[in-house]
Each structure stands twice: as C-alpha cells, then as structure tokens.
Amino acid sequence: MLENTRHQHFILFKPYGYLSQFIYELKRKKKLLGEIYNFPQGTMAIGRLDEDSEGLLLLTTDGKVSEQIRSKKVDKEYYVQVDGVITPEAIEQLQKGVEIGFDGGKYITKPCRAFIVTEVPDFGPRAKKIRDERHGPTTWASITVNEGKFRQVRKMTAAVGFPTLRLVRVRIGNVYLQNLKAGEVLEVSNFNIDDATQKL
C-alpha cells in the first residue's frame, strides 16, 4: 500500500480529446487536465493516455508514488471497441503476442490476457461520435497488458485486422474505473495497486 497523508491522490476518468498533462508548450491549442478539475499545485499524471483514448488515469502530488507505480509491471486493462466482429483466432493471436511497429523497428508484444466482452459498461457517449452500426458491426474486447509501448493496444488490434474505434482503460493493478463518468474525479487516500501485479 502506498500512503502519504501529506500528499493527495486522485482517480480520473479522462475524457476523449484531452492530453494527459497540465502544460503544453506548442502553439496549437490543446485540452489539458487542469481544465477538468482544480487539482492542487504539483499534481502529476502517473503514466498517460493518448489524446483520443479515455478512461482511468491516476494522479498524485507525490513523485515517489508516481515512480513506484510506473516502475512496476502493473497490469493495465483496456476495453476496446473494434471495427468488425472480432474472431476467436484474432483473440488468440493477441493473447500469444503480435508484431507491431515500434521506434522505427518491429516489436513482438508479450503474451497478454484478451477476451471478447459481451456486457459492456455504460461509458456514456464519446465527445466525438463513433461511426454507427450502419457502417458495419463492431465488437468490444478486453485486453490486459503490463507493458506500455506507444499506442500499443491500438497497434495490436490493427495487427490482427480489427482497428480500434474506441479505447477505454478500466483498470490499473487493483484500481478500477468503477462507475466514474467522463470528466469525474475521485480523491482517494492511497492507490492500493499491489494485489494485482502478479506476472501473467
């Protein structure tokens, strides 16, 4: 258990279209975390979610806690809505590891958990509409990885022929998104992630 009474810790459902940061140096206008909630000075995001990804983001004022969580091979579970009806064969490929492009080269992802999700939580509508069923069916799948290459999960589903339309992170270790809605913040006394850090 990671605990420090002087520091503050937050769980956020990061909405679509926001960067996982508080400062953006380039001129282009971007939506930042400080526009969502009045976080205390010195708050930092632990890890990141891409601008077009949603879901669970942990934030803390404690750099040690941030470092501890980032240094561990913590499971991260994502619910992905993919284009088409994903096949058992594709799920099996994801589980075993697939080749993706990374850093100008090729990378084989580590074995992971993956399965088709039949009952999808109500995440609410996304800020930018996802194409509807008239353009063909979609499927939801769960993918759990404990590595974090750039846009890894999106690259993985594309590699097996089912591009990701929507991606929502639902779990980091033993911390769950629960019933938070996009943009909601929950302050917690600590992040009890340790129970779910076993190797796959």
Side-chain angles (χ1 to χ4, degrees):
M1 191 178 289
L2 307 169
E3 197 163 10
N4 190 322
T5 49
R6 291 167 303 157
H7 284 286
Q8 290 175 270
H9 314 292
F10 304 90
I11 296 172
L12 164 68
F13 186 142
K14 186 191 89 67
Y16 176 89
Y18 283 79
L19 297 183
S20 297
Q21 56 200 65
F22 289 91
I23 298 167
Y24 184 69
E25 301 289 353
L26 303 178
K27 284 185 179 171
R28 238 177 108 210
K29 180 80 174 117
K30 294 285 187 181
K31 292 179 178 175
L32 304 173
L33 297 177
E35 297 168 43
I36 296 173
Y37 184 81
N38 187 21
F39 292 104
Q41 193 171 358
T43 302
M44 65 198 84
I46 304 174
R48 62 192 288 272
L49 280 171
D50 298 322
E51 189 174 0
D52 52 359
S53 299
E54 308 161 71
L56 182 62
L57 190 65
L58 307 181
L59 300 102
T60 182
T61 57
D62 189 342
K64 281 186 183 169
V65 167
S66 176
E67 203 174 309
Q68 283 175 306
I69 293 176
R70 282 189 291 112
S71 68
K72 293 179 178 180
K73 293 294 180 193
V74 180
D75 284 352
K76 298 174 186 74
E77 183 177 4
Y78 300 85
Y79 275 19
V80 289
Q81 184 181 14
V82 300
D83 194 356
V85 179
I86 197 164
T87 61
E89 293 76 18
I91 291 288
E92 193 178 338
Q93 281 180 276
L94 291 171
Q95 290 169 344
K96 289 178 176 175
V98 295
E99 185 181 275
I100 61 172
F102 175 68
D103 229 5
K106 298 290 182 188
Y107 176 77
I108 304 287
T109 60
K110 292 177 182 167
C112 72
R113 291 192 196 95
F115 57 88
I116 294 167
V117 175
T118 49
E119 285 191 37
V120 183
D122 178 16
F123 296 125
R126 198 177 72 172
K128 184 182 178 187
K129 195 171 179 344
I130 296 159
R131 67 157 186 75
D132 59 35
E133 295 286 328
R134 288 174 300 179
H135 297 93
T138 65
T139 324
W140 283 87
S142 163
I143 298 175
T144 301
V145 297
N146 59 16
E147 48 182 347
K149 306 296 183 206
F150 181 63
R151 296 179 79 81
Q152 177 174 336
V153 172
R154 292 177 186 277
K155 289 177 180 178
M156 287 170 67
T157 69
V160 297
F162 296 90
T164 293
L165 300 172
R166 187 178 187 184
L167 183 149
V168 183
R169 183 159 65 193
V170 296
R171 179 172 67 85
I172 298 173
N174 211 31
V175 181
Y176 288 81
L177 190 58
Q178 300 170 49
N179 297 317
L180 289 180
K181 298 296 180 195
E184 284 187 351
V185 175
L186 180 67
E187 185 167 358
V188 293
S189 59
N190 58 67
F191 298 126
N192 194 6
I193 63 160
D194 294 336
D195 299 344
T197 56
Q198 309 97 312
K199 292 267 185 288
L200 293 175

